[in-house]
Amino acid sequence: GENVEQHPSTLSVQEGDSAVIKCTYSDSASNYFPWYKQELGKGPQLIIDIRSNVGEKKDQRIAVTLNKTAKHFSLHITETQPEDSAVYFCAASSKGKSTFGDGTTLTVKP
Amino acid sequence: NAGVTQTPKFQVLKTGQSMTLQCAQDMNHEYMSWYRQDPGMGLRLIHYSVGAGITDQGEVPNGYNVSRSTTEDFPLRLLSAAPSQTSVYFCASSLTSGVNTGELFFGEGSRLTVL
């Protein structure tokens, strides 16, 4: 089955700095790569996603890049704000089933 | 629009007891699934369903049963609870499944403690 590795497990940045979270996957059949944000006591919520026929996607301060050859994808958050503090999960979907990374706890210090 | 609703939010069980976690969605989603979330281990797929009457096992199915008699509901049953099933459980749904899979919509979670 699919295996997704996510790094780092914790990330602390100063407000205004950029944050980068990286994921690798193993199944070349995976074709959908979402990123979810989970706030304390809540369920995860989608913040951005990318499909395998696209290399990069941007939505305001958030961007995702995908390298199919190397089987890795990354989340980039620019101009971080305290409200960006949360746990972020990457996922890779193959044949409709999503496999998640172990999560990154992002802390943005004011 | 309620989205995905899970009940109960909190539950404490004794070893060997049985219970059902309820999940309902009002978005007419084809795909529904159950995940468990443990510290440092992300979200692991327990069971999933691509439509009414169809269910399949995920990564960690042992000790859990599911059924999908309607499009809206996808209950998760623990027949004989064990301490290893102490976790936070999330139900998630998606409009489509298979190669056209898309965003998962998650419920708020059900925190289960087995003593």
Side-chain angles (χ1 to χ4, degrees), chain A residues 39-60:
Chain A
E39 296 177 340
L40 201 60
K42 303 275 191 180
Q45 278 196 305
L46 182 77
I47 56 171
I48 196 166
D49 57 10
I50 193 167
R51 295 197 181 269
S52 57
N53 58 347
V54 177
E56 185 174 354
K57 185 176 177 180
K58 190 174 181 180
D59 183 4
Q60 299 183 345

Side-chain angles (χ1 to χ4, degrees), chain B residues 15-81:
Chain B
T15 297
Q17 287 186 317
S18 63
M19 77 157 300
T20 300
L21 299 177
Q22 301 290 346
C23 176
Q25 53 91 9
D26 62 359
M27 298 173 283
N28 201 30
H29 281 178
E30 178 179 289
Y31 179 89
M32 296 187 74
S33 57
W34 277 101
Y35 286 87
R36 61 177 288 173
Q37 184 175 30
D38 301 296
M41 298 185 75
L43 294 144
R44 292 183 292 169
L45 182 64
I46 304 171
H47 285 285
Y48 66 99
S49 168
V50 299
I54 305 168
T55 63
D56 207 344
Q57 296 181 349
E59 181 186 355
V60 288
N62 291 343
Y64 307 95
N65 281 347
V66 292
S67 59
R68 183 101 180 265
S69 56
T70 67
T71 299
E72 295 79 19
D73 300 298
F74 191 47
L76 178 72
R77 297 182 184 88
L78 285 72
L79 297 178
S80 180

